[in-house]
Amino acid sequence: MRQEEIVRSFQVAGQGHVFAFWPELDTARRAALVAQAAEIDLDEVARLHRTLVLERHAAADLRALAPAPYESLPEKGGDPAKWARARATGEEALRAGRVAAFTVAGGQGSRLGYDGPKGAFAVTPVKRKPLFQVFAEKILAAGRRHGRPLEWFIMTSHANHEATEAFFAQHGWFGLARERVHFFRQGRMPAVGFDGRILLEGKGAIALSPDGHGGSLRALHRSGALGLMAELGIDTLSYFQVDNPLARCIDPAFIGFHLLAGSEMSSKMVPKAYPEEKVGHFCVQDGRLVVIEYSDLPPAVQRETHADGSLRFVAGSIAIHLIDREFARRMAGGGVGVQLPFHRADKKIQTIDAAGRPVKPDKPNGVKFEMFVFDALPFARKPIIIETRRADDFSPVKNAEGVDSPQTCRDDQLRQFARWLNAAGARVPVDATGLPALALEISPLFGDDAESVAASWRRLPSPPELKPDLYLE
Ligand code: UTP
């Protein structure tokens, strides 16, 4: 579309104010504004404003909701032979190069308040490794173990793309082959005021923000990542979030269960820590797997128990999934009935007033629209869920302090390292919660689970002295 046509389409849609400062903009800024405007689907914005803001989003549909079934861990009654078979199948897929790692790192990380891509945040207890390095080493270790290096896809946002690429370059891609690390940007959505008018960030800039982790499916497609996967013979993406360094990002048993079931999308669950834990709940509705957010599930339902007192809706989502490549392509196509829904989030959005003066709101002044990746589950054929141990897979860094903060994540890493070492025969003193008194750290290249740590431990010529800041690599 030509410039004038774009401006005209905004005027027709009642969004002409986006170009209110046109006379003040030089040619370059005009072109940049028009390029931003061209990204926007005006019909979609109008529809989202009507359905999610004006009609105030009908309460979530909770008809005939049942807890979702899942594959229990062997120590919780699962069949050990089935787990062993799944693991062998996953290992074979890894040896065949069918699996790629996939990190979503396009979020704004506003709760943490860290200035820079969240993946650059220093997270480990001794070496202060950034999140990206932890995953890089896990991916490197998995590649070595299975004799086949893995490709790694990383979704960034417009805001952090360059900084993310520069960070990897600065650190020599953390030992990975540069050509195996693939960055691509996710899409953006405009923020709107409660009246539906698209907000401006500046005189020549629209307030655009990332379209949510659910935007990853269409971004994978648009960026050519799915095409590249097909060329390389990769059919499965191992999806994890940039803020959870405990995630076993390449997990053979999980991969095996997914492949053996012929599933298009699979997820890991942990039993909720307490009835009203703020996690998404895996449920079944009309024969389809769905994730219902805690905010949509009445507290009484969250607390429901079976006759034996155990929680009915026990399966919490930890945002670790496996996604079939062709399923991602189908979802990205967005044909009738396969569109991920948008969710609204009321936010304080920095904008300008009609005179062009900056406005710093102290309460929400508008709405952002985001898609969630777990909303793809109901569209997937044969989706499955497996149980995992929280201590082995989940301790995200979300907040600057308190729950899910750098401190809780550091402690959980320390507990994990101490647990692995003690299982290998070391004698690391720990308190009642399993937290060691001394800081220590294990590189994923030494071991990334109890078994591999024990194997490396046995290979050491002599057990190292257990002193503060012990680092095993
Ligand atoms: P969160 O929902 O925790 O959001 O993202 P966030 O943006 O990182 O943090 P806050 O809410 O502003 O504090 C969970 C994961 O999804 C990714 C994040 O990078 C993180 O890995 N994500 C989120 C995206 O990749 N894109 C998005 O648009 C949103």
Side-chain angles (χ1 to χ4, degrees):
M1 250 199 284
R2 292 205 332 269
Q3 236 179 41
E4 303 82 72
E5 286 173 52
I6 290 177
V7 175
R8 177 97 195 99
S9 66
F10 271 63
Q11 284 162 345
V12 170
Q15 302 284 9
H17 63 280
V18 164
F19 298 97
F21 301 98
W22 191 253
E24 295 178 39
L25 305 178
D26 61 20
T27 317
R29 291 180 74 202
R30 284 181 179 180
L33 178 60
V34 169
Q36 285 192 337
E39 273 181 44
I40 295 174
D41 178 341
L42 288 165
D43 291 339
E44 183 172 70
V45 173
R47 179 177 57 80
L48 294 176
H49 176 249
R50 193 182 64 247
T51 53
L52 296 180
V53 183
L54 292 182
E55 292 165 9
R56 247 286 165 193
H57 164 60
D61 178 6
L62 302 177
R63 269 173 316 108
L65 208 58
Y70 59 88
E71 201 66 52
S72 297
L73 283 166
E75 72 255 29
K76 302 272 201 68
D79 175 0
K82 209 169 167 192
W83 278 81
R85 211 161 42 245
R87 180 174 166 169
T89 304
E91 286 171 346
E92 192 181 317
L94 287 162
R95 282 196 294 275
R98 291 177 59 188
V99 183
F102 177 32
T103 309
V104 287
Q108 296 175 305
S110 43
R111 283 169 289 171
L112 182 61
Y114 170 68
D115 190 21
K118 203 166 179 181
F121 185 76
V123 75
T124 65
V126 173
K127 293 290 172 186
R128 312 291 301 139
K129 287 180 195 169
L131 284 154
F132 279 135
Q133 185 174 358
V134 175
F135 299 125
E137 292 184 7
K138 289 187 181 193
I139 292 165
L140 201 53
R144 287 183 186 162
R145 187 170 310 142
H146 301 101
R148 184 87 182 228
L150 287 117
E151 306 289 318
W152 186 10
F153 293 89
I154 299 175
M155 185 174 82
T156 62
S157 66
H158 282 72
N160 69 21
H161 186 82
E162 277 89 18
T164 303
E165 281 193 326
F167 189 71
F168 271 77
Q170 225 173 57
H171 292 89
W173 289 268
F174 302 108
L176 293 163
R178 174 182 183 169
E179 65 278 7
R180 293 195 199 283
V181 189
H182 313 277
F183 303 95
F184 61 92
R185 286 183 182 83
Q186 70 177 108
R188 298 190 282 190
M189 287 294 287
V192 302
F194 294 115
D195 59 1
R197 279 156 64 96
I198 292 173
L199 294 175
L200 287 178
E201 189 176 85
K203 290 181 176 176
I206 297 170
L208 291 167
S209 54
D211 57 1
H213 41 65
S216 60
L217 300 178
R218 58 190 197 185
L220 277 164
H221 182 49
R222 254 193 237 140
S223 66
L226 295 180
L228 177 62
M229 285 174 64
E231 269 170 44
L232 296 172
I234 297 166
D235 55 27
T236 304
L237 280 163
S238 186
Y239 169 107
F240 53 97
Q241 302 191 328
V242 74
D243 51 21
N244 177 22
L246 252 61
R248 276 186 298 164
C249 53
I250 302 297
D251 182 342
F254 184 33
I255 295 166
F257 275 117
H258 169 81
L259 294 176
L260 286 169
S263 159
E264 286 186 319
M265 180 163 173
S266 304
S267 307
K268 283 190 183 176
M269 67 71 93
V270 295
K272 287 191 292 182
Y274 48 93
E276 290 176 43
E277 186 179 1
K278 293 186 160 83
V279 288
H281 292 62
F282 288 112
C283 302
V284 174
Q285 191 172 41
D286 297 332
R288 302 201 301 173
L289 183 61
V290 293
V291 173
I292 305 285
E293 289 197 86
Y294 65 89
S295 47
D296 286 333
L297 202 59
V301 179
Q302 296 182 38
R303 288 194 298 263
E304 275 177 24
T305 53
H306 294 290
D308 66 359
S310 61
L311 273 183
R312 236 184 121 226
F313 289 93
V314 71
S317 174
I318 54 169
I320 299 181
H321 311 284
L322 291 166
I323 302 170
D324 174 73
R325 183 192 72 221
E326 290 311 306
F327 174 60
R329 202 191 296 277
R330 200 166 83 232
M331 290 308 300
V336 181
V338 288
Q339 169 69 48
L340 288 190
F342 276 94
H343 299 254
R344 85 180 248 188
D346 296 8
K347 299 265 179 174
K348 292 181 240 172
I349 300 157
Q350 292 199 14
T351 181
I352 53 173
D353 64 16
R357 287 181 301 251
V359 177
K360 277 206 167 191
D362 49 15
K363 59 179 198 321
N365 60 330
V367 178
K368 289 185 179 179
F369 299 113
E370 288 196 1
M371 288 178 280
F372 299 154
V373 76
F374 53 72
D375 280 331
L377 279 168
F379 299 101
R381 293 188 193 113
K382 302 184 181 165
I384 55 146
I385 304 173
I386 72 157
E387 181 178 12
T388 186
R389 296 170 205 96
R390 185 184 292 259
D392 280 343
D393 246 323
F394 191 56
S395 185
V397 177
K398 298 281 185 198
N399 306 304
E401 281 170 10
V403 287
D404 296 341
S405 63
Q407 181 66 43
T408 55
C409 181
R410 177 180 186 274
D411 290 351
D412 287 337
Q413 293 172 72
L414 286 169
R415 288 188 185 97
Q416 185 178 59
F417 298 145
R419 204 167 54 243
W420 288 343
L421 287 179
N422 286 340
R427 297 220 171 139
V428 182
V430 296
D431 71 9
T433 71
L435 187 67
L438 47 95
L440 48 96
E441 182 171 333
I442 300 178
S443 162
L445 298 172
F446 184 84
D448 57 4
D449 57 17
E451 209 176 294
S452 52
V453 167
S456 293
W457 183 260
R458 279 195 299 273
R459 277 197 295 272
L460 291 174
S462 61
E465 190 193 336
L466 293 176
K467 55 179 193 327
D469 292 347
L470 171 68
Y471 177 61
L472 294 168
E473 191 177 35

